[in-house]
Amino acid sequence: MNLGVFGYASIDSSYQMDSFAGLGKTTIIRKLHQDSEAGGIARIFYGLREGNRCSAISWVGEDDLSKSWISALNEMKVDTSGVEELQGSAPSCFLFHSRNGETITFYDTGFGLTKELTLSEIAESVLSKVDVTIFAVGPRLATEKALEVVSQNSLVIWIVKADPSAYPPELLEKMHKRSDVVIHSANENNFVSPNEFRKNAIVISTNGSHPISWKYGEKTGSISPRRLDEVSNTTGAGDVFSGYFVGEWLSSSNLEKSINLGAEATFEYLTNRAIKRGL
């Protein structure tokens, strides 16, 4: 099977704060973690089964972090021909986690661009041939183009990110109508409209250590993941869950088994702050 993963490649840095003091005031932060070189959409590939042809559609800079990110994908035998190299440094995401669970996010594209990113001709060619397209968050214009390029027979899996700049209303509507599988967190409930999804779409809503709810056509259910003690840094959890869920689901078509595997992989990742291919 030919799988394509679309979205930003980013180096994530996480910080903890008691609370955000507000504009014009000083907020005390403590650095928790800088992502390994295989951050961003790279985490998704760890859960995808070996034997599939996997391709990345993304953008990187010319710096050492970008080169390390590409090397990590190459080690997993991921096709990186659809990853465009641009002048500048690696994209970076800075996340500030408060003790009450709220997160403030700043994203640096790393390229110093004055115009939005879109797809290269090579990336379009790669996407046009995939059987399964996994959409993580990416540049608006590139997302619009990717939706046009992917085959109507391609299965579309959407990993939701509540980012209005990436998904203006018209594009958000297209994502709802085109997605066969939707994975989002409970924090994004107000960003998605369940009634707008395809009739037989699989919709999964994660909620930290609380039960994971799912809907598949007229069927609904929930699965309780292993409960974690207090976790201050959840960076990457959604990508890890999604990758392992998709890997198992494409292999077995067993929805609950796939959700359980995604939850177990996420537990291991958040407990050990490490990820490997397979559990």
Side-chain angles (χ1 to χ4, degrees):
M1 189 176 293
N2 194 348
L3 285 69
V5 180
F6 166 97
Y8 284 120
S10 64
I11 306 301
D12 295 334
S13 296
S14 297
Y15 303 80
Q16 184 175 319
M17 59 184 178
D18 289 333
S19 63
F20 178 54
L23 297 177
K25 299 180 180 179
T26 300
T27 299
I28 304 300
I29 62 173
R30 177 169 63 86
K31 189 167 184 177
L32 293 174
H33 173 73
Q34 183 173 49
D35 197 7
S36 66
E37 59 271 20
I41 65 167
R43 298 187 192 93
I44 298 170
F45 290 104
Y46 285 98
L48 302 180
R49 299 295 175 86
E50 295 184 23
N52 293 314
R53 176 178 171 81
C54 297
S55 302
I57 309 299
S58 194
W59 304 261
V60 296
E62 303 170 309
D63 60 328
D64 289 340
L65 286 175
S66 293
K67 293 175 182 176
S68 295
W69 192 88
I70 291 290
S71 295
L73 292 188
N74 289 336
E75 287 178 9
M76 291 189 283
K77 296 182 172 55
V78 173
D79 171 28
T80 56
S81 63
V83 178
E84 186 175 1
E85 182 180 296
L86 301 169
Q87 291 184 343
S89 58
S92 301
C93 192
F94 303 89
L95 302 106
F96 300 86
H97 305 282
S98 68
R99 294 189 182 278
N100 63 8
E102 296 178 341
T103 300
I104 299 173
T105 304
F106 295 91
Y107 188 79
D108 177 8
T109 64
F111 306 124
L113 299 174
T114 57
K115 62 179 182 179
E116 273 196 88
L117 296 170
T118 186
L119 294 182
S120 66
E121 291 185 5
I122 295 175
E124 288 187 25
S125 176
V126 171
L127 272 178
S128 69
K129 299 170 185 174
V130 299
D131 304 304
V132 179
T133 311
I134 302 174
F135 278 88
V137 67
R140 176 183 62 84
L141 291 179
T143 303
E144 290 176 348
K145 188 63 178 178
L147 281 176
E148 294 175 8
V149 169
V150 295
S151 166
Q152 288 300 310
N153 296 322
S154 177
L155 187 78
V156 170
I157 300 172
W158 181 24
I159 304 173
V160 178
K161 178 75 172 179
D163 182 350
S165 64
Y167 300 110
E170 185 176 343
L171 179 55
L172 189 62
E173 181 181 357
K174 290 180 181 178
M175 291 301 302
H176 277 74
K177 291 182 177 179
R178 183 62 182 86
S179 298
D180 300 290
V181 180
V182 181
I183 303 170
H184 69 91
S185 72
N187 293 333
E188 292 157 334
N189 283 342
N190 293 331
F191 195 71
V192 296
S193 302
N195 292 333
E196 299 298 321
F197 292 127
R198 293 184 169 193
K199 182 178 179 180
N200 291 319
I202 296 174
V203 181
I204 299 169
S205 177
T206 62
N207 192 14
S209 292
H210 300 289
I212 301 167
S213 62
W214 61 266
K215 184 177 186 296
Y216 187 8
E218 299 301 320
K219 298 179 181 179
T220 60
S222 65
I223 293 174
S224 296
R226 274 207 282 172
R227 188 167 185 83
L228 279 164
D229 294 330
E230 182 179 347
V231 177
S232 53
N233 179 16
T234 59
T235 304
D239 291 327
V240 172
F241 173 87
S242 299
Y244 278 88
F245 164 79
V246 171
E248 177 59 34
W249 183 67
L250 292 177
S251 175
S252 70
S253 299
N254 186 319
L255 183 58
E256 292 197 340
K257 180 181 178 183
S258 303
I259 293 173
N260 272 315
L261 183 64
E264 186 63 20
T266 306
F267 180 92
E268 294 294 334
Y269 173 69
L270 293 178
T271 300
N272 302 312
R273 292 311 306 181
I275 186 172
K276 59 183 179 180
R277 202 160 200 183
L279 286 177

